[in-house]
Amino acid sequence: MQKSRCLIFVVAYHAEATIEDVIERIPVALSEEYDVDILIIDDSSADRTFEKSRDMARRSRLPFRFHVLRNPISQGYGGSQKLGYQFAIREGYEVVALLHGDGQHGPECLPELLKPVVDGRAAAAFGSRMLRSSAQADHNGALRGGTPRYKYVGNKVVTWLQNRILGSHLSEFHSGFRVYSVRALEAIPFECNSNDFHFDTEIIIQLRIAQLPIIELPIPTHYGGDISRVNALSYGFNVLRTTIQARLQELSLFYDRKYDCAPAPLSQYKPKFGFTSPHSFALNAVRSNSNVLDLGCGTGYVGSAIQKKKGCRVAGVDASPLPARNLNDFYLRDLNDGLTGIPIEEHDCVLLLDVIEHLASPEKFLDELRRRLSLNPKAELIISTGNVAFFVTRVMLLLGKFNYGKRGILDLTHTRLFTFSSMLRTLNEAGFVVLETAAIPAPFPLALGDNAVSRFLLACNSFLMRLSRGLFAYQMVMRVKARPTLEALLKAAEEESRTRSAVLSAASAAQ
């Protein structure tokens, strides 16, 4: 049976006095189960870390192959990790274990940490100083191992805050003793991470977003006379900042490429019927037993709800042939290609919910839609889009940020952004009469879950919209009707003239 290829990666900085002891403590028995290499990267140390590592690798009797590298320019703690993980990916290893050259973490624990990752039970295994092992009588093993009390308390407090922000349950975010699946590393954009010490927090967040499982195992702690090179205040600030940014990205209020690593969903759009939204507005506004056309129907959840609750016949149009549509009719069409072949005029109501912002030319599309809808005097259009003047976007602009993201007003796929006034003007210029306009609050229940906090925020947002919908509305939805086209009005005038002329001619003949 072929052994798994494992890389033990040692990040070293000013580790001249400790590097040899760290390497010698790596269990020799690992070679019986795994094909093991050791990579040491010296991050441009001012001492003899590289020379000591190179000499040791040459004379070592350990059954491992050695690779010793030195950064010509310091890359930082995170930057050195990036190089080590890139080495693991390039050379085709299956697992990479991270060790610190200062000896703070015991290499003796490597077999326990490697096993769940090699077995495929986890994408990463972290050694936690905050977990109690069977050999410990309490949870203070880290303190007994020499961890300064201020670091212990700081670790516990910051980890608690991070868990609260992210909804995670890790015992520790800040251990540097880790084992990763190389396949998991390939799935996340770790190159975008910081070169500083909070690289470790960023990679945890990336693994969580990518839904790659993490397992924690207890490890002993040893603090010797090594010099800490971490500024605790700066580190704590950076850790909390990046954690909050990741959470804001989940709420579509922030975007950073390094956190864009979630598995692609079948559809990134979800039903929003339980609170004020374009979906609930459309469901209430559509007349019962009417013919409805849902342009950009996605998986068909809006149309299905209208079928069920209003007894309507619903047809859908979308560019993606997703299977989960339970509509009466479906037309596979990219709306940027126009509406030819779609029986627009046969429908009493057309839905264009959160679609217009995705179109390459909204004006051209609305012109064609108005021309077709004007052929049915009863037809109405319900259209919704985001309000780019929402106060959160304004605050971001004030701070010099305009970040597109995966969802929300600044969705990466949006090509046109609107305010209330620009949307009204666009509809008017396209030949529509606005019958009703509604302001829509932010979808707090969708982002935070249906709970007391989200309902409170929804109520606050609804109140603020009464003061200024342009400032506090997250979205807008409008019910509009197509004005007759000039050609239709001209034909009506000609028909009226013919009718009146015939009457006048008949009256004249009767005289």
Side-chain angles (χ1 to χ4, degrees):
M1 182 176 177
Q2 189 173 2
K3 297 179 181 180
S4 297
R5 294 193 66 207
C6 298
L7 179 69
I8 299 174
F9 166 40
V10 184
V11 287
Y13 184 67
H14 289 173
E16 174 186 7
T18 56
I19 189 67
E20 187 168 1
D21 178 66
V22 169
I23 299 301
E24 289 180 349
R25 288 165 59 194
I26 296 174
V28 175
L30 287 176
S31 62
E32 299 174 6
E33 296 187 53
Y34 311 114
D35 182 7
V36 179
D37 286 7
I38 295 176
L39 168 66
I40 302 171
I41 295 185
D42 168 32
D43 191 31
S44 195
S45 301
D47 64 4
R48 299 185 67 257
T49 296
F50 175 75
E51 290 78 4
K52 192 75 174 284
S53 300
R54 183 171 172 272
D55 292 343
M56 177 186 60
R58 284 183 169 182
R59 57 184 169 78
S60 175
R61 296 183 179 179
L62 293 172
F64 309 127
R65 291 179 295 273
F66 282 83
H67 308 271
V68 181
L69 303 177
R70 172 183 165 85
N71 293 330
I73 300 174
S74 176
Q75 299 300 308
Y77 172 71
S80 291
Q81 284 196 62
K82 294 177 188 180
L83 296 177
Y85 300 149
Q86 181 60 33
F87 181 91
I89 292 170
R90 189 189 71 185
E91 300 300 322
Y93 293 95
E94 295 169 62
V95 177
V96 55
L98 173 67
L99 271 179
H100 287 189
D102 60 9
Q104 187 179 130
H105 301 300
E108 295 82 3
C109 296
L110 277 170
E112 289 80 9
L113 289 175
L114 281 166
K115 188 168 180 55
V117 180
V118 172
D119 291 349
R121 290 184 282 122
F126 295 169
S128 172
R129 298 164 291 185
M130 303 300 162
L131 287 177
R132 180 176 61 180
S133 70
S134 57
Q136 294 172 334
D138 53 47
H139 290 274
N140 295 325
L143 291 175
R144 291 203 311 274
T147 303
R149 186 167 293 274
Y150 78 91
K151 285 192 174 183
Y152 176 83
V153 173
N155 189 327
K156 298 287 281 186
V157 169
V158 175
T159 292
W160 181 84
L161 288 171
Q162 290 181 274
N163 280 325
R164 294 288 294 178
I165 294 168
L166 297 173
S168 54
H169 301 89
L170 292 177
S171 68
E172 179 181 10
F173 270 78
H174 313 292
S175 169
F177 197 4
R178 306 176 174 203
V179 174
Y180 295 107
S181 158
V182 174
R183 182 174 295 179
L185 291 173
E186 289 180 296
I188 59 177
F190 64 84
E191 186 179 357
C192 297
N193 292 2
S194 167
N195 284 357
D196 210 335
F197 289 97
H198 58 288
F199 174 95
D200 283 346
T201 281
E202 293 173 336
I203 206 167
I204 291 176
I205 294 171
Q206 288 171 328
L207 290 170
R208 289 191 71 255
I209 293 173
Q211 298 179 19
L212 296 169
I214 299 170
I215 191 172
E216 290 185 286
L217 297 170
I219 57 169
T221 303
H222 169 71
Y223 265 86
D226 52 292
I227 300 173
S228 175
R229 305 187 187 279
V230 183
N231 182 310
L233 290 177
S234 174
Y235 173 73
F237 172 80
N238 286 330
V239 160
L240 290 177
R241 176 177 56 83
T242 196
T243 303
I244 292 169
Q245 287 176 344
R247 179 59 179 144
L248 291 176
Q249 181 150 326
E250 289 182 16
L251 301 176
S252 301
L253 298 176
F254 176 83
Y255 180 77
D256 191 315
R257 282 183 59 194
K258 65 172 169 276
Y259 297 135
D260 187 1
C261 52
L266 187 65
S267 173
Q268 71 181 81
Y269 303 107
K270 299 180 180 179
K272 295 177 281 188
F273 291 111
F275 50 94
T276 303
S277 71
H279 299 167
S280 59
F281 180 95
L283 185 59
N284 293 327
V286 168
R287 294 189 297 270
S288 297
N289 303 312
S290 57
N291 289 328
V292 178
L293 180 64
D294 188 359
L295 298 177
C297 64
T299 55
Y301 49 77
V302 175
S304 296
I306 291 173
Q307 280 178 325
K308 182 178 179 180
K309 296 189 177 183
K310 290 297 188 74
C312 297
R313 180 177 179 82
V314 181
V317 180
D318 202 86
S320 175
L322 295 176
R325 297 190 181 96
N326 299 309
L327 306 180
N328 299 108
D329 294 296
F330 174 71
Y331 302 91
L332 183 62
R333 177 69 56 82
D334 185 338
L335 294 177
N336 282 309
D337 296 333
L339 298 168
T340 303
I342 300 172
I344 302 291
E345 55 275 5
E346 295 179 9
H347 295 86
D348 307 310
C349 182
V350 173
L351 305 180
L352 194 66
L353 305 179
D354 302 337
V355 170
I356 193 168
E357 59 267 29
H358 296 272
L359 300 178
S361 179
E363 292 83 2
K364 180 180 178 181
F365 180 85
L366 287 173
D367 285 343
E368 182 181 2
L369 184 59
R370 176 261 184 136
R371 180 178 59 80
R372 300 283 298 279
L373 279 177
S374 67
L375 300 176
N376 182 355
K378 297 189 302 180
E380 292 184 354
L381 168 68
I382 297 175
I383 180 172
S384 68
T385 189
N387 172 28
V388 72
F390 185 51
F391 80 97
V392 172
T393 311
R394 298 193 191 198
V395 171
M396 289 168 60
L397 282 170
L398 185 64
L399 298 175
K401 298 182 180 297
F402 195 71
N403 293 309
Y404 281 82
K406 297 293 285 186
R407 293 186 305 172
I409 297 170
L410 299 181
D411 188 311
L412 285 165
T413 63
H414 290 176
T415 60
R416 188 71 64 86
L417 303 171
F418 296 90
T419 64
F420 274 88
S421 60
S422 65
M423 187 74 255
L424 289 168
R425 184 176 65 252
T426 299
L427 288 168
N428 180 64
E429 291 173 349
F432 288 94
V433 177
V434 177
L435 306 175
E436 182 181 1
T437 301
I440 305 296
F444 294 108
L446 189 65
L448 305 176
D450 187 8
N451 52 50
V453 173
S454 65
R455 289 191 292 271
F456 172 75
L457 292 174
L458 202 62
C460 291
N461 198 168
S462 298
F463 171 77
L464 291 171
M465 288 191 308
R466 298 177 189 175
L467 304 178
S468 173
R469 69 180 188 181
L471 181 59
F472 295 109
Y474 181 77
Q475 288 177 286
M476 65 194 85
V477 59
M478 300 174 185
R479 185 170 61 89
V480 304
K481 198 175 185 68
R483 290 198 301 262
T485 62
L486 291 178
E487 184 62 27
L489 291 173
L490 181 58
K491 287 181 179 179
E494 291 172 341
E495 180 63 30
E496 175 71 8
S497 299
R498 283 193 294 268
T499 301
R500 284 184 174 270
S501 295
V503 171
L504 291 174
S505 296
S508 177
Q511 292 176 357

